[in-house]
Amino acid sequence: MREVNALIAKEIRLEWRQRNALNGMLLYLVSTIFVCYLSFRLKSNRLEPITWNTLFWIIQLFTAVSAIAKSFTQERAGRLLYYYTLASPVGIILSKMIYNTVLMLGLSVLGFGIYAFVMGNPVGDVGMYLVAIVLGALGFAGTLTMVAGIASKAENSPTLMSVLSFPIILPMLLMLLKLSKNALDGLDWGSSSDEILTLLALNGIVWVLSLILFPFIWKS
């Protein structure tokens, strides 16, 4: 854990030195929400809840891709070799996944606040919707961090990252849409237990497989 904490602190310092990347993510998030407002909300005073929900998760998905894709691309070859001699691969991937989860949680909650303020808030159960956001942040961070590590071994091909992440992200995104739709309708928590358990299982599988498989990628 001391190693993981040191690597997370390194990620924070590196992000702080490259504040233009964080500012770019925030600009992307706010500008996308504003474009949605101009396209939908401004033209008609009422937006269907299902459309509202779909737009929100599309924004979150592309925000996650743009935020996490740089997990390994910002690391130079010499720095990676230094990490190879200094830290364990499990510590490296775990620290990046934890940092990306915190980053995604911050962006998701901020995005939800801005989105609800600009586009209106039709959510019947905000608590359940926030649970969906947390589970989505965990899933997106785990999946995209692992795929970014694989893509870094193939000259950081964006196409490879998109192809590899799509089969894992798709079922996760479907469950998130169902859970958030239940929150929109204000249904009781018992009716959403299957979606919550499925998302927890998917996130657990992704995180455990990442910790098991990344050392083999790292050694290559």
Side-chain angles (χ1 to χ4, degrees), residues 7-8 16 23 34 54 65 80 84 129 132 137 139 142 182 189 219:
L7 290 169
I8 292 174
W16 183 251
N23 293 333
F34 184 66
T54 304
V65 172
L80 291 177
Y84 188 88
Y129 207 92
N182 292 343
W189 285 72
K219 291 178 182 178

Side-chain angles (χ1 to χ4, degrees), residues 54-66:
T54 304
L55 284 174
F56 175 77
W57 285 109
I58 290 175
I59 293 171
Q60 292 305 306
L61 177 60
F62 284 98
T63 301
V65 172
S66 63

Side-chain angles (χ1 to χ4, degrees), residues 35 87 146 152 170 181 199:
V35 169
M146 182 60 187
S152 67
L170 184 59
K181 179 62 169 59
L199 285 169

Side-chain angles (χ1 to χ4, degrees), residues 202-216:
L202 287 174
N203 290 342
I205 291 171
V206 168
W207 279 65
V208 171
L209 286 179
S210 298
L211 297 179
I212 294 174
L213 298 178
F214 183 77
F216 296 98

Side-chain angles (χ1 to χ4, degrees), residues 144-163:
L144 295 175
T145 302
M146 182 60 187
V147 174
I150 297 174
S152 67
K153 299 298 182 179
E155 298 180 356
N156 300 317
S157 171
T159 304
L160 179 62
M161 184 173 177
S162 301
V163 170

Side-chain angles (χ1 to χ4, degrees), residues 2-100:
R2 183 180 301 175
E3 180 180 273
V4 172
N5 291 334
L7 290 169
I8 292 174
K10 182 270 300 180
E11 294 287 342
I12 296 173
R13 289 194 298 269
L14 188 62
E15 192 73 58
W16 183 251
R17 291 176 183 175
Q18 300 174 351
R19 289 189 294 274
N20 57 325
L22 182 60
N23 293 333
M25 286 184 284
L26 294 174
L27 178 62
Y28 172 82
L29 181 64
V30 174
S31 60
T32 306
I33 294 174
F34 184 66
V35 169
C36 291
Y37 169 75
L38 294 177
S39 302
F40 295 93
R41 183 74 176 180
L42 191 62
K43 299 300 181 182
S44 59
N45 293 328
R46 185 172 180 272
L47 185 66
E48 293 296 328
I50 188 66
T51 306
W52 187 95
N53 190 42
T54 304
L55 284 174
F56 175 77
W57 285 109
I58 290 175
I59 293 171
Q60 292 305 306
L61 177 60
F62 284 98
T63 301
V65 172
S66 63
I68 300 175
K70 61 181 181 58
S71 295
F72 289 89
T73 57
Q74 64 184 0
E75 307 282 8
R76 298 180 180 178
R79 186 184 296 167
L80 291 177
L81 181 61
Y82 177 66
Y83 294 159
Y84 188 88
T85 61
L86 187 67
S88 66
V90 172
I92 290 174
I93 190 65
L94 186 59
S95 64
K96 287 185 176 293
M97 291 169 70
I98 293 174
Y99 174 76
N100 287 331

